[in-house]
Amino acid sequence: MTTSEPGSPAGWGHLPAEGEGESETTGESALPSTPKPAPRPGPPRPVPRPGRPAPTVAAPPSIDPHPFGRVDPDGTVWLITGAGERVIGSWQAGDTESAFEHFGRRFDDLNTEVALMEHRLESGTGDARKIKSAAAALAESLPEAHVLGDVDGLAARLTAIAEHADEAAQAERAKRDEHRAAQTARKEALAAEAEDVATNSTHWKAAGDRLREMLEEWRTISGLDRKTDDALWKRYSAARETFNRRRGSHFAELDRERAGARQAKEELCERAEDLADSTDWGATGAAFRDLATQWKAAGRAAKDVDDVLWQRFKAAQDTFFGARNAASAERDSEFRANADAKEALLTEAEKLDTSDLEAARAALRAIGDKWDAIGKVPRERGAELERRLRAVEKKVRDAPSRAVDPEAQARADQFRSRAEQFERQAEKAAAAGRTKDAEEARANAEQWRQWADAAAEALGKRG
C-alpha cells in the first residue's frame, strides 16, 4: 500500500488500485524524509435536491498521467506542475506503469468530481453556493493531493467553477426573490379578498365556501419569508374571524326575528280563529282584511313553522268567508224571489182600469201593501222595479175624476210630489250603496204617500 494515506476525492469513496490490499512487505514504503500528510475531509457528497432527478454525467475520459509525473527507480513518485515537482508517494507494489495507473486513477476520480460540479452548475440542478464551497475545498486540497494528472488544469477549472457559481448564485437569488415576490403577491391578494368578503359580503354560504377555497389555495403557496408570511396569515385569519362573527350575528338576529314573527303570527291565528264563526259579515270581513295586512308585516318564521301557522290562519279565513258566501248565496236567492214577486205585482198593477178611479186606487193601495211586505230585491233590479211602480201610481193619480176643491187637489198633489221626491232619493241612495239613507228616504216617502192617499180619499168622498 502507499505510504501516504491519500484521502479519497471529495464526495467519492476510496477506489482500490492495483497492488492495494497486498501485504506491507510488497506495498509502498514510507519516505523517511517526507512526513505523512494528514487527510482532509472533503466536502459532502453531492446529493440531488428533493424533487429533482439525480444528474447523470458520463465519466470524462482518463487522462494520460505520464506527461504530469515521473517515477524514480527507487519507487519515488513525483508530480510535475507549473510550480515545480513534488513527491506524492513511494510505489513498492509493482512496476512503474502500475504506479502511473494507480495515481492516474486517483486523478481521474478528482476529474470526474469536477466534471460533476460543472454539470450541476450548468444544468442548474445544484445549489450554486454549495457547489462553490465544494470546489473551494477541493481546490484547497489539490496542493497535497496524491494524484498524477493535469492538476493545474483541474485548479483552473475549479477557479472557473467558483466564479461561475457566484453568477449562478446571484441568478438563483434573483429567481428566488422573484418567486418570493410572486408568492407574496398571491397571498396579499388572498388576504385582501378575504378582508373584502369579511367586511362586505352578505351571501353567507357563497362567501363561506370562498373563504375555504382561499384557505386551500393558501396552503399551496410557499417560499415567503417567515415574517411576511406570518403577517399575511394574521390578516387572512383576522378576516375569517370577522366574517364568522358577522355571519353568526346575522343568523342570531334572524333567529330573533323568526321567533318574534312566530309569536306575532300565533297571536294572529288565535284572533282569526275567534272570528271564524262570526255572522257580522261586514265588520268581520274588514277585520280579516286587517289581520291579513298584519300577517304580511309580521315577517317570516322558520319555514316549517311558518307553513303550519299559515295553514291555521287560512283555515280560519276559509271558515268565515265560506259561511259568508253561503249566506250571501241564500240572500241573493231570496232577493231574486222577491224581485219575481214584485214583477208579478207590477204586472197586476199595470193592468188597473182607471175608469173606476176609486176601485183603481184601492187596488193600488193593496198592491203597495204587498210590495212593502215582500222586502228587498237584487240591487241591479231595484231601480227598474221602483220606476215601473211609480209610473203606475202616476197613471192612477193623473186619471180624470169628478170636480173637486182645487186647493184640496193641490195639497194632495203636493203630498204625492213630496213622496216621489223621497222615493227618488231612496233610489239614488240604494244605487250608491247607502243602505241606511235609502231606508230613511223610503220611510219619508211612505209617510208622504199615506198623506197623499188620505187627501185623495177625502177628495173622492167630497166629490
Side-chain angles (χ1 to χ4, degrees), residues 12-94:
W12 295 84
H14 175 70
L15 300 178
E18 291 184 23
E20 289 189 300
E22 299 178 6
S23 65
E24 293 187 3
T25 57
T26 60
E28 298 175 78
S29 61
L31 295 178
S33 60
T34 305
K36 181 188 298 185
R40 291 178 176 270
R45 179 189 300 272
V47 178
R49 292 186 178 183
R52 294 182 179 179
T56 56
V57 182
S62 297
I63 301 297
D64 181 6
H66 292 82
F68 303 100
R70 60 188 177 81
V71 181
D72 290 343
D74 62 359
T76 301
V77 184
W78 296 81
L79 171 67
I80 303 172
T81 67
E85 296 182 336
R86 64 181 176 86
V87 176
I88 61 170
S90 177
W91 184 256
Q92 303 297 325

Side-chain angles (χ1 to χ4, degrees), residues 56-199:
T56 56
V57 182
S62 297
I63 301 297
D64 181 6
H66 292 82
F68 303 100
R70 60 188 177 81
V71 181
D72 290 343
D74 62 359
T76 301
V77 184
W78 296 81
L79 171 67
I80 303 172
T81 67
E85 296 182 336
R86 64 181 176 86
V87 176
I88 61 170
S90 177
W91 184 256
Q92 303 297 325
D95 58 16
T96 300
E97 283 303 315
S98 296
F100 279 107
E101 289 177 5
H102 171 70
F103 289 101
R105 279 197 299 271
R106 289 192 171 187
F107 178 84
D108 289 342
D109 288 344
L110 291 181
N111 190 31
T112 299
E113 184 172 357
V114 172
L116 178 60
M117 291 181 188
E118 290 170 334
H119 174 77
R120 293 180 63 206
L121 196 58
E122 291 295 333
S123 63
T125 57
D127 186 325
R129 292 172 300 175
K130 293 181 180 180
I131 293 174
K132 179 180 179 181
S133 177
L138 187 55
E140 187 178 352
S141 71
L142 283 183
E144 299 176 359
H146 296 262
V147 297
L148 281 179
D150 187 7
V151 173
D152 291 340
L154 210 60
R157 289 166 63 193
L158 288 171
T159 300
I161 287 174
E163 293 173 354
H164 188 189
D166 287 336
E167 297 174 1
Q170 185 176 359
E172 284 184 1
R173 188 179 305 110
K175 186 175 181 180
R176 284 196 303 271
D177 290 344
E178 182 181 354
H179 176 72
R180 181 180 295 111
Q183 297 295 76
T184 300
R186 287 180 64 190
K187 284 197 173 180
E188 284 178 343
L190 290 175
E193 183 183 356
E195 289 166 344
D196 180 64
V197 168
T199 304

Side-chain angles (χ1 to χ4, degrees), residues 357-405:
L357 192 55
E358 290 303 320
R361 289 173 176 168
L364 186 57
R365 284 195 294 276
I367 289 173
D369 292 340
K370 293 179 181 178
W371 184 280
D372 292 337
I374 288 173
K376 296 180 179 180
V377 299
R379 182 179 300 176
E380 65 274 11
R381 298 187 62 186
E384 175 62 19
L385 294 174
E386 291 290 340
R387 184 192 64 75
R388 289 174 61 188
L389 180 61
R390 298 291 84 80
V392 172
E393 290 174 344
K394 186 176 186 303
K395 172 185 173 182
V396 173
R397 185 175 62 249
D398 294 343
S401 61
R402 290 170 295 177
V404 295
D405 182 1

